[in-house]
Amino acid sequence: PRIIKTINYDDQILKKMYFLTFWISAIVFSFIFLSGSYIINYLYGDNFPMALDVFKISSITLVIIGLNGTYNKVIIKNELNHLLFIKSIFGIFLCITLNLILIPNYGIIGVSYATVLSLFLSDIILDFFIKDLRKHHILKLKSILYFRTIKL
């Protein structure tokens, strides 16, 4: 909401927002990934042995989704909504294709890999190839390691 409400924003504010959303997502991911066996065991016991692998693989998406929450608002603010639509359609078709390829060979684990891979390709890699998104995407990625933003 803060991004969309502001008329003028500078790169420093965006860097702080990207930095915070990425690292908060990374901390949540770490907690979930490291405590996954306890969570799965508590919820399901020993009834679903593959649930832990699916849970851990799928938890990787938290970092990508967390970072893109801010990024998508920036794209909307810059009136590039049509590119978000194109990225979404690309991600959907990629995920379906990967599921068709991976499920027969890897089963439920293939679904998790297909999800992570399609999200990574459509939300991280694809933006390098879309001219209007490239500068926003590079700012987003540079901001992850922009530790001067700790001075809030």
Side-chain angles (χ1 to χ4, degrees):
R2 183 176 181 182
I3 293 172
I4 294 178
K5 288 180 184 176
T6 58
I7 294 172
N8 296 318
Y9 55 88
D10 61 9
D11 287 351
Q12 296 304 318
I13 292 171
L14 287 178
K15 285 180 182 180
K16 288 179 184 180
M17 293 175 77
Y18 287 136
F19 180 86
L20 289 173
T21 56
F22 174 80
W23 287 104
I24 289 169
S25 299
I27 290 167
V28 171
F29 159 73
S30 299
F31 172 75
I32 288 175
F33 190 84
L34 295 173
S35 63
S37 59
Y38 300 109
I39 294 170
I40 295 299
N41 192 33
Y42 178 76
L43 293 174
Y44 301 110
D46 295 330
N47 297 331
F48 300 98
M50 294 189 71
L52 179 60
D53 294 333
V54 172
F55 185 75
K56 285 188 171 188
I57 294 166
S58 297
S59 68
I60 296 168
T61 61
L62 291 173
V63 178
I64 299 170
I65 291 169
L67 184 59
N68 278 328
T70 301
Y71 179 67
N72 289 342
K73 289 175 183 66
V74 170
I75 300 308
I76 291 168
K77 176 72 175 171
N78 286 289
E79 298 179 358
L80 298 170
N81 307 26
H82 63 286
L83 297 176
L84 284 179
F85 178 74
I86 291 168
K87 285 175 40 137
S88 297
I89 296 299
F90 173 79
I92 290 168
F93 282 112
L94 181 62
C95 192
I96 291 169
T97 303
L98 289 173
N99 276 317
L100 291 171
I101 294 168
L102 296 175
I103 290 173
N105 296 321
Y106 300 101
I108 191 74
I109 300 292
V111 174
S112 294
Y113 283 130
T115 302
V116 172
L117 189 57
S118 63
L119 193 62
F120 177 76
L121 291 173
S122 65
D123 285 348
I124 304 296
I125 302 301
L126 182 62
D127 290 357
F128 286 115
F129 299 99
I130 301 175
K131 181 184 171 190
D132 292 337
L133 295 179
R134 194 175 302 131
K135 70 176 183 174
H136 302 291
H137 184 58
I138 290 171
L139 176 69
K140 172 182 71 171
L141 295 179
K142 283 183 176 179
S143 300
I144 293 170
L145 300 176
Y146 186 71
F147 287 104
R148 286 185 279 179
T149 60
I150 293 174
K151 299 175 187 174
L152 301 175

